[in-house]
Amino acid sequence: MGYTKTAILMAAMTALFVGIGYLLGGSGGLVIAFVVALAMNAFTWWNSDKMVLRMHNAQPVAPNDRMGLHAMVTELARNANLPMPAVYLIDTPQPNAFATGRNPSHAAVAVTSGLLQTLDRDQVAAVVAHELAHIKNHDTAIMTVTATFAGAISMLANFALFFGGSRERLGIIGTIAMMFLAPVAAALVQMAISRSREYEADRIGAEICGNPMWLASALEQIQKGAARIDNPAAERNPAMAHMFIINPLHAHSRDKLFSTHPATENRVAALRAMVGTTPAQTVPASRIPLVRRNRKSGPWT
């Protein structure tokens, strides 16, 4: 049902984009919008990992890193029967993480320095497992494409007043209404896609790491940190906020209607309900090395 819902919502996003093209330029605008939608999907799908990692100034983590992060991801990827993703570190004090990439063979997992400073080894393993679940579910490309569509729909809507055809078809009041309602509709669809995928990633992530409570406690810790610590790169690129394990935005007031994530307490409750039903993992996270960085130490190497 999760994939069916996602497919329906993606179709709705595409239809909204093409529909706005028709309202702006008639049948010609519809064709142009459809072609642009296909081009956007192709470009974003192919370049999603590079785009997002560059936005957050993520730096690659070497296989022999002193933190043991790469080794942890390696073991968990083996548990998940996934190809080894690239591993990146984002130097920001806010605890958070995300995954990106067009498919499991071209994927990356990025964690923040704040995550490694705040969480213990088992919690970090659970967060990595959650991100690997997104990769396993092919969520990473879907979420990047929806963010691109949401931005493009907002851009088209803002151009409405400059197109005479739209004023003739809708009138000035209808055109102004479209300018406001189209971005709202796009945002709602984007959030619905993100929320539907987070619950599934939580469930599969708990199976990968072998203990739902590790992820439940990690989500609670990350929520506390994200609520009080700024993430400037995320604030500059709010359309990508839904890719993080916990919403990184808090510096600006935002309506809960447009929240990119389900309520953390609901996610934690669902994970607690899994206790006793999760199959044992191949390699316990307690055996996976991870050296936590001292807050006063120098830059990551």
Side-chain angles (χ1 to χ4, degrees), residues 197-208:
R197 303 316 303 156
E198 287 302 323
Y199 281 116
E200 185 68 4
D202 285 345
R203 183 184 69 80
I204 295 178
E207 293 176 354
I208 292 172

Side-chain angles (χ1 to χ4, degrees), residues 25-142:
S27 57
L30 183 148
V31 173
I32 292 172
F34 182 72
V35 172
V36 171
L38 291 178
M40 285 170 50
N41 270 304
F43 177 82
T44 307
W45 178 80
W46 190 263
N47 296 283
S48 59
D49 54 343
K50 301 180 186 68
M51 291 166 52
V52 179
L53 293 168
R54 192 179 301 115
M55 285 179 186
H56 294 277
N57 194 30
Q59 300 300 313
V61 175
N64 58 347
D65 69 291
R66 62 185 177 83
M67 302 168 289
L69 179 61
H70 198 282
M72 171 180 280
V73 178
T74 299
E75 295 293 348
L76 289 168
R78 186 177 295 122
N79 287 352
N81 295 315
L82 284 170
M84 177 62 188
V87 185
Y88 285 83
L89 185 73
I90 302 171
D91 191 13
T92 180
Q94 185 189 88
N96 230 315
F98 66 79
T100 185
R102 62 182 182 270
N103 56 43
S105 297
H106 301 85
V109 171
V111 303
T112 67
S113 54
L115 186 90
L116 302 184
Q117 293 167 352
T118 305
L119 273 58
D120 64 29
R121 179 180 53 209
D122 292 342
Q123 291 171 328
V124 172
V127 170
V128 171
H130 171 96
E131 299 308 330
L132 291 174
H134 276 309
I135 294 171
K136 194 179 185 76
N137 292 341
H138 296 264
D139 294 337
T140 49
I142 290 173

Side-chain angles (χ1 to χ4, degrees), residues 11-293:
M13 185 78 83
T14 303
L16 181 60
F17 185 83
V18 174
I20 292 173
Y22 174 75
L23 292 174
L24 293 178
S27 57
L30 183 148
V31 173
I32 292 172
F34 182 72
V35 172
V36 171
L38 291 178
M40 285 170 50
N41 270 304
F43 177 82
T44 307
W45 178 80
W46 190 263
N47 296 283
S48 59
D49 54 343
K50 301 180 186 68
M51 291 166 52
V52 179
L53 293 168
R54 192 179 301 115
M55 285 179 186
H56 294 277
N57 194 30
Q59 300 300 313
V61 175
N64 58 347
D65 69 291
R66 62 185 177 83
M67 302 168 289
L69 179 61
H70 198 282
M72 171 180 280
V73 178
T74 299
E75 295 293 348
L76 289 168
R78 186 177 295 122
N79 287 352
N81 295 315
L82 284 170
M84 177 62 188
V87 185
Y88 285 83
L89 185 73
I90 302 171
D91 191 13
T92 180
Q94 185 189 88
N96 230 315
F98 66 79
T100 185
R102 62 182 182 270
N103 56 43
S105 297
H106 301 85
V109 171
V111 303
T112 67
S113 54
L115 186 90
L116 302 184
Q117 293 167 352
T118 305
L119 273 58
D120 64 29
R121 179 180 53 209
D122 292 342
Q123 291 171 328
V124 172
V127 170
V128 171
H130 171 96
E131 299 308 330
L132 291 174
H134 276 309
I135 294 171
K136 194 179 185 76
N137 292 341
H138 296 264
D139 294 337
T140 49
I142 290 173
M143 291 192 291
T144 307
V145 169
T146 57
T148 303
F149 262 115
I153 288 170
S154 297
M155 179 188 68
L156 276 182
N158 289 332
F159 285 163
L161 284 176
F162 298 98
F163 289 84
S166 66
R167 292 194 296 273
E168 293 172 5
R169 275 179 287 275
L170 301 174
I172 187 66
I173 295 177
T175 300
I176 293 174
M178 185 185 71
M179 290 174 60
F180 288 98
L181 295 178
V184 170
L188 289 174
V189 174
Q190 181 190 9
M191 304 321 161
I193 292 173
S194 175
R195 292 174 185 178
S196 69
R197 303 316 303 156
E198 287 302 323
Y199 281 116
E200 185 68 4
D202 285 345
R203 183 184 69 80
I204 295 178
E207 293 176 354
I208 292 172
C209 72
N211 192 324
M213 291 310 300
W214 293 347
L215 183 53
S217 62
L219 290 175
E220 291 175 329
Q221 288 291 101
I222 297 171
Q223 179 64 55
K224 292 176 184 177
R228 61 183 177 81
I229 303 173
D230 289 349
N231 187 329
E235 297 288 349
R236 289 193 299 269
N237 302 283
M240 297 296 175
H242 65 301
M243 299 187 69
F244 285 83
I245 189 170
I246 290 288
N247 189 350
L249 308 178
H250 75 94
H252 306 290
S253 178
R254 297 177 190 276
D255 195 309
K256 288 185 178 180
L257 176 66
F258 298 100
S259 174
T260 56
H261 296 69
T264 300
E265 54 267 29
N266 293 342
R267 296 171 67 182
V268 169
L271 287 164
R272 286 176 175 161
M274 290 180 64
V275 173
T277 66
T278 303
Q281 59 173 345
T282 304
V283 180
S286 58
R287 298 183 191 172
I288 302 172
L290 181 69
V291 179
R292 295 175 66 189
R293 177 197 184 203

